[in-house]
Amino acid sequence: MALLFCDAFWGTDFTDQSGYEAILQRLQDGRHMCKDVEELLKMRALAEEKYGRDLVTIARKAEGQTEIGTLKASFDKLKAEIEKTGYLHIHLSESIKEEVQKIEAFREHQREQRKKLEEIIEKLQKPKMLQHKKTIEVMNRARLCRQAANLAEKQYKWNVDQLEKTRHDWESTYRSACEVFQQQESERINILRCVLWDHCNLLSMQCVQNDDCYEEVRKLLEQCDIITDNNCFINMKKTACRPPAPIEFQSYSDLDANGGVRSVETKRLSVVLPELSFSGYPEAGSNSAGSYTSAQQAGGVTEKYMVLYDFKAQEDDELSVSKGQVVTITEQGEDGWWKAWRDGISGLVPGTYLTKLSPQSCSTSLAAAQPEHNPIK
């Protein structure tokens, strides 16, 4: 059975106010507790706001612009989820601030209500104490003065009646005040319990949301593939598909009849042969294209190829071509350099820069692409 304030906080005698003071002290302590809860929630709100803003700052400052592919997508998703988590914590801070405002409004409402009741009780308390004092004085006077006993008895009786009336009014008001105070205390306990309950629920929801955010990051990290990212980097940043131009050998040992250097034949070094053999170089005056087998002179069939990339000749025996041009290939060297004809001019081009056309295009354009004679210089 629930106990009542009005049945537990009376004084031991008529002038004793210890019960009323105990209730007032309890209400004062409850008001301090409300303030403590407000301060706790305010500090938690500031901490959540600072933490959220720090997360947003971290997410925005993290660059990761040099990464590519799925790992970059995972990193970007991580930054986005961190920023989202930061905003969720900022929103949580706003929610906590709203709860603080509710408690402040509730505390002020109780303070005003309590102040009014205290004023009413104080107004009744003063007449009660004054009347009690007069009654005691009259009673003492009646005891000391037997001559005025009848008058004093009448006065005493009248004062007792007045005191009883005042006491009845005071008890009725005090009982009502105790009921209101108990209702305030019940409301305070209930509202603080609800606030703390909702606060724990908010924190639990925040943990679930944080776990969902990081789960999205983990899903993207599961899709991260090393080979895919390396292939993406190669496709985006590759510079060339073959080694640099080879170094040519020139022999100055043979002189002509006039003492000058005779025409020097050169041989292009292989760009794919792993081991070089210096015995493979031609003697002075030999054919510079000795490493190629001319399909045109041997009666072979020439083929049409389209140029995929621009190539600028760096040597006299090379042929400059542009992307989209069609050339005729008459020789395919094992070192990756092919002999091409275009507009009556022949020269060497890298085979990796070409792509073969259809047989119909090759058969119609072969005769026009090959000149009668164009030796390699």
Side-chain angles (χ1 to χ4, degrees):
M1 184 180 71
L3 300 178
L4 301 178
F5 281 18
C6 58
D7 294 334
F9 294 100
W10 296 101
T12 56
D13 55 40
F14 194 79
T15 59
D16 185 14
Q17 301 185 19
S18 58
Y20 176 69
E21 292 173 354
I23 294 177
L24 291 182
Q25 183 63 39
R26 175 59 179 171
L27 296 178
Q28 187 69 18
D29 295 339
R31 184 166 178 266
H32 290 163
M33 180 60 184
C34 289
K35 290 183 178 180
D36 293 339
V37 174
E38 290 174 19
E39 291 298 324
L40 183 144
L41 295 181
K42 286 179 180 179
M43 290 187 292
R44 181 56 188 266
L46 292 176
E48 289 292 338
E49 182 178 4
K50 183 178 182 300
Y51 179 65
R53 295 186 182 279
D54 290 341
L55 288 179
V56 173
T57 302
I58 291 171
R60 292 180 177 176
K61 286 185 177 181
E63 297 180 356
Q65 302 299 326
T66 58
E67 190 53 61
I68 58 176
T70 57
L71 183 58
K72 183 179 187 301
S74 300
F75 186 74
D76 292 341
K77 183 65 176 177
L78 175 60
K79 294 195 298 181
E81 293 302 331
I82 291 175
E83 185 174 3
K84 180 180 177 182
T85 302
Y87 284 122
L88 289 175
H89 281 281
I90 294 174
H91 179 70
L92 175 61
S93 173
E94 297 297 331
S95 301
I96 295 175
K97 290 180 180 178
E98 292 177 0
E99 295 297 327
V100 172
Q101 293 177 356
K102 291 180 182 178
I103 296 178
E104 290 178 350
F106 172 78
R107 180 170 53 80
E108 288 299 320
H109 173 71
Q110 280 204 338
R111 187 181 68 83
E112 294 294 333
Q113 190 176 14
R114 184 174 65 252
K115 184 177 180 181
K116 292 179 181 179
L117 291 174
E118 288 177 1
E119 290 176 356
I120 294 174
I121 291 178
E122 288 296 330
K123 288 180 180 179
L124 293 175
Q125 185 75 12
K126 290 180 180 179
K128 185 194 78 166
M129 298 302 296
L130 181 61
Q131 192 65 38
H132 179 266
K133 181 179 180 181
K134 289 182 179 180
T135 301
I136 297 300
E137 290 176 355
V138 171
M139 183 181 65
N140 292 331
R141 203 179 312 146
R143 290 176 180 177
L144 296 175
C145 187
R146 293 184 177 276
Q147 295 178 355
N150 293 332
L151 180 60
E153 188 176 355
K154 291 181 180 179
Q155 292 180 351
Y156 171 66
K157 186 177 183 305
W158 182 85
N159 283 283
V160 169
D161 293 339
Q162 293 297 320
L163 178 61
E164 181 63 21
K165 181 179 179 181
T166 303
R167 184 188 66 80
H168 181 270
D169 293 341
W170 179 83
E171 288 180 358
S172 176
T173 303
Y174 183 68
R175 186 179 298 274
S176 299
C178 288
E179 293 175 355
V180 174
F181 290 153
Q182 184 170 3
Q183 180 66 25
Q184 282 189 341
E185 185 65 13
S186 300
E187 291 177 355
R188 183 187 66 83
I189 296 174
N190 182 62
I191 192 67
L192 291 181
R193 182 186 64 178
C194 293
V195 167
L196 295 177
W197 189 285
D198 293 339
H199 178 68
C200 294
N201 289 340
L202 289 174
L203 295 180
S204 298
M205 293 174 60
Q206 182 64 40
C207 292
V208 174
Q209 292 175 352
N210 289 346
D211 185 68
D212 292 339
C213 293
Y214 294 126
E215 180 63 23
E216 295 296 328
V217 178
R218 288 192 289 268
K219 289 179 180 179
L220 284 180
L221 289 175
E222 288 177 355
Q223 300 175 5
C224 179
D225 184 69
I226 298 175
I227 296 177
T228 302
D229 287 2
N230 287 338
N231 291 344
C232 181
F233 168 72
I234 292 173
N235 292 330
M236 291 179 60
K237 301 295 184 179
K238 65 181 180 180
T239 56
C241 298
R242 66 183 183 89
I247 302 175
E248 297 181 351
F249 173 76
Q250 293 183 352
S251 176
Y252 296 91
S253 60
D254 296 332
L255 302 177
D256 56 13
N258 296 325
V261 179
R262 289 188 293 181
S263 175
V264 179
E265 300 294 338
T266 61
K267 179 178 178 68
R268 184 175 301 276
L269 298 178
S270 173
V271 296
V272 296
L273 193 60
E275 296 182 0
L276 294 176
S277 176
F278 290 96
S279 61
Y281 286 100
E283 299 295 333
S286 64
N287 184 8
S288 62
S291 61
Y292 297 90
T293 302
S294 176
Q296 185 179 20
Q297 295 176 0
V301 179
T302 60
E303 296 179 333
K304 289 287 189 176
Y305 283 78
M306 178 180 288
V307 180
L308 297 176
Y309 312 102
D310 294 338
F311 174 72
K312 185 177 180 181
Q314 299 180 357
E315 303 294 340
D316 294 339
D317 59 349
E318 295 177 351
L319 178 63
S320 297
V321 292
S322 301
K323 180 180 179 181
Q325 291 182 344
V326 177
V327 298
T328 302
I329 300 301
T330 60
E331 300 176 6
Q332 296 184 5
E334 296 180 356
D335 58 356
W337 291 90
W338 296 2
K339 186 173 183 181
W341 288 81
R342 182 181 60 80
D343 298 334
I345 304 174
S346 67
L348 298 179
V349 296
T352 55
Y353 280 42
L354 307 177
T355 181
K356 188 176 181 180
L357 296 176
S358 61
Q360 293 81 359
S361 301
C362 293
S363 59
T364 56
S365 60
L366 180 59
Q370 294 181 349
E372 294 180 359
H373 181 67
N374 188 11
I376 302 175
K377 296 181 179 181

